[in-house]
C-alpha cells in the first residue's frame, strides 16, 4: 500500500539512492530535567534510561555501538549507509568540546552519512549550532527537539521544564544553517482533548520545521505517570482513537514535511498500559488503512 504521507525511509532513499538505516547511540549524557538543574524526576512519562539503551553504562564506545548496530542493519535491511542516532537523554547538554568529540567519533565510522541528535529546546545556543552547522556542510544533520505539545499548561503538567516559546526560539536559532529540524509530539497527554492536539498540529505546520515524530503516550512502569495511572487519574487512548488522531494530525501538515514516526514502540517488559501499544505493526497498518478508507492524505487540511 502506497503511503499517503512523506515518510522518512523514502525521503532518505531519494537522497542517497539506497537504504539508510538509523543506529541508536548512547553517549552517556544526562538531562537538566533529571540531574537536578530543573528537576530530579524528569518528564512524567520518562524512565531512568531516558529512552535509551544504557550502552554507555555497559562500557561500549560510540564506535563499538555503531559497529554492532551495522551488523543487524545489514542483515535485516541490506543497508550500507547509516545515520548515528544520539537518542538517549539530551545530546547537546554538554560542552561544545565534548559534543565535537562524540560526533567526530560517530562520523568517522565507515558508511555513516550523517546523524540525528535528540535534545531539548532549552539546551541549545549559537555556539553549539555553529558546530552542527559545520558538520551539516558534509553530512546530513537532523536536530530533534522534544516538544510534545504547544500548550504551556500541558508542558507544566508533564514536567517538561520549558515553554513553547523556548521551542520557537530554538527553531529560529537553528534555521538557515543547513540543519534539518525535527520535532517530537505526544498524543494523548493528560488534560489534552482533540482540539488541543489539532492546535499543536496547525501551529507546528507553520513553524518552519522539516520533520515530525508522532508518539502515543503510554505508561512505563516506575515513572511518575505510572503512579498517576494506577491512582486512576489518567486514562490511555484507545487504539482506534489514536489511529484517527494520527490521521487528523497528518492531514494538517504541509506535504513536504517529513513524517519520521507515526507511533511509539515501547519495550514490552516496561509497558504498563495500554496493552495495544506493544502491537506496533498492527497500529502502523491500521493507520495506513484508515488513511485509505478516509481518503486522507498529508496536506489535505493544511492552512498556510
Amino acid at each position: 500500500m502506497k503511503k499517503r504521507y512523506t515518510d522518512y525511509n523514502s525521503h532518505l532513499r531519494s537522497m542517497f539512492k539506497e537504504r539508510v538505516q538509523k543506529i541508536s547511540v548512547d553517549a552517556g549524557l544526562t538531562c537538566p530535567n533529571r540531574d537536578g538543574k530543573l528537576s530530579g524526576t524528569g518528564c512524567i512519562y520518562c524512565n531512568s534510561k531516558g529512552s535509551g539503551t544504557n550502552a554507555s553504562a555497559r562500557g561500549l564506545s560510540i564506535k563499538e555501538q555503531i559497529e554492532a548496530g551495522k551488523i543487524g542493519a545489514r542483515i535485516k535491511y541490506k543497508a550500507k549507509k547509516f545515520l548515528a542516532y544520539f537518542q538517549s537523554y539530551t545530546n547537546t547538554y554538554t560542552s561544545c568540546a565534548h559534543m565535537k568529540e562524540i560526533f567526530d567519533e560517530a562520523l568517522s565510522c565507515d558508511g555513516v552519512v550523517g546523524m540525528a541528535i535528540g535534545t531539548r529546546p532549552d539546551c541549545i545556543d549559537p555556539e553549539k549550532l555553529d558546530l552542527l552547522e559545520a558538520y551539516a556542510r558534509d553530512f546530513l544533520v537532523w536536530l530533534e527537539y522534544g516538544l510534545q505539545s504547544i500548550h504551556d499548561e500541558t508542558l507544566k503538567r508533564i514536567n517538561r521544564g520549558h515553554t513553547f516559546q523556548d521551542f520557537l526560539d530554538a527553531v529560529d536559532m537553528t534555521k538557515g544553517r543547513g540543519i534539518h529540524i525535527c520535532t517530537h509530539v505526544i498524543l494523548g497527554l493528560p488534560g489534552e482533548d482533540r482540539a488541543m492536539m489539532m492546535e499543536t498540529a496547525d501551529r507546528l505546520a507553520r513553524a518552519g520545521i522539516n520533520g515530525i515524530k508522532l508518539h502515543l503516550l503510554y505508561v512505563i512502569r516506575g515513572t511518575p505517570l505510572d503512579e498517576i495511572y494506577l491512582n486512576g487519574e489518567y486514562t490511555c487512548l484507545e487504539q482506534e482513537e489514536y489511529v484517527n488522531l494520527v490521521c487528523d494530525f497528518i492531514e494538517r501538515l504541509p506535504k513536504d514535511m517529513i513524517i519520521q514516526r507515526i507511533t511509539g514502540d515501547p519495550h514490552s517488559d516496561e509497558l504498563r498500559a495500554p496493552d495495544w501499544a506493544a502491537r506496533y505493526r498492527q497500529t502502523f497498518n491500521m493507520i495506513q488503512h484508515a488513511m485509505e478508507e478516509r481518503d486522507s492524505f498529508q496536506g489535505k487540511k493544511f492552512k498556510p
Side-chain angles (χ1 to χ4, degrees), residues 8 11 115-117 119-121 124 129 132 136 140-147 167-184 204 207-213 256-260:
Y8 195 36
H11 172 70
M115 56 186 175
I117 303 159
T119 190
R120 295 167 51 95
I124 203 71
L129 289 169
L132 298 180
L140 175 63
V141 176
W142 279 92
L143 192 55
E144 299 191 7
Y145 286 121
L147 172 64
F167 167 79
L168 294 176
D169 293 343
V171 169
D172 284 344
M173 277 194 291
T174 309
K175 288 178 182 176
R177 293 174 174 268
I179 302 166
H180 301 260
I181 305 169
C182 181
T183 303
H184 291 234
L204 292 180
I209 61 176
N210 308 102
I212 198 162
K213 285 185 174 181
D256 60 348
M257 187 178 290
I258 312 303
I259 313 296
Q260 292 202 15

Side-chain angles (χ1 to χ4, degrees), residues 1 31 67 74 86 98 141 151 158 169 176 186 189 201 236 245 260 301:
M1 184 183 297
C31 173
E67 293 304 321
R74 286 174 175 145
F86 289 86
H98 188 218
V141 176
H151 303 285
I158 63 176
D169 293 343
I186 296 178
L189 291 167
C236 300
L245 283 168
Q260 292 202 15
K301 296 182 180 178

Side-chain angles (χ1 to χ4, degrees), residues 66-87:
I66 291 174
E67 293 304 321
K70 283 182 186 180
I71 296 171
R74 286 174 175 145
I75 294 171
K76 186 173 181 179
Y77 302 109
K78 311 300 182 186
K80 298 178 182 177
K81 293 180 179 177
F82 311 93
L83 292 180
Y85 180 24
F86 289 86
Q87 180 180 17

Side-chain angles (χ1 to χ4, degrees), residues 31-33 38 43 90 118-124 145-146 160-162:
C31 173
N33 205 20
L38 296 175
C43 304
T90 304
T119 190
R120 295 167 51 95
D122 56 346
C123 292
I124 203 71
Y145 286 121
R160 278 296 296 175
H162 65 74

Side-chain angles (χ1 to χ4, degrees), residues 274-285:
D275 291 342
W276 63 264
R279 301 192 291 272
Y280 171 85
R281 180 52 59 180
Q282 181 187 70
T283 303
F284 179 89
N285 289 337

Side-chain angles (χ1 to χ4, degrees), residues 12-68:
L12 290 174
R13 189 176 289 274
S14 70
M15 289 185 67
F16 294 98
K17 311 307 178 187
E18 61 181 289
R19 175 82 185 208
V20 180
Q21 185 60 34
K22 267 187 175 182
I23 298 175
S24 291
V25 175
D26 178 359
L29 299 176
T30 184
C31 173
N33 205 20
R34 187 170 285 279
D35 72 355
K37 182 178 180 181
L38 296 175
S39 82
T41 58
C43 304
I44 64 170
Y45 47 78
C46 187
N47 68 12
S48 60
K49 292 193 296 186
S51 300
T53 62
N54 267 357
S56 178
R58 299 198 307 272
L60 295 176
S61 70
I62 289 170
K63 184 173 183 179
E64 287 171 335
Q65 293 176 54
I66 291 174
E67 293 304 321

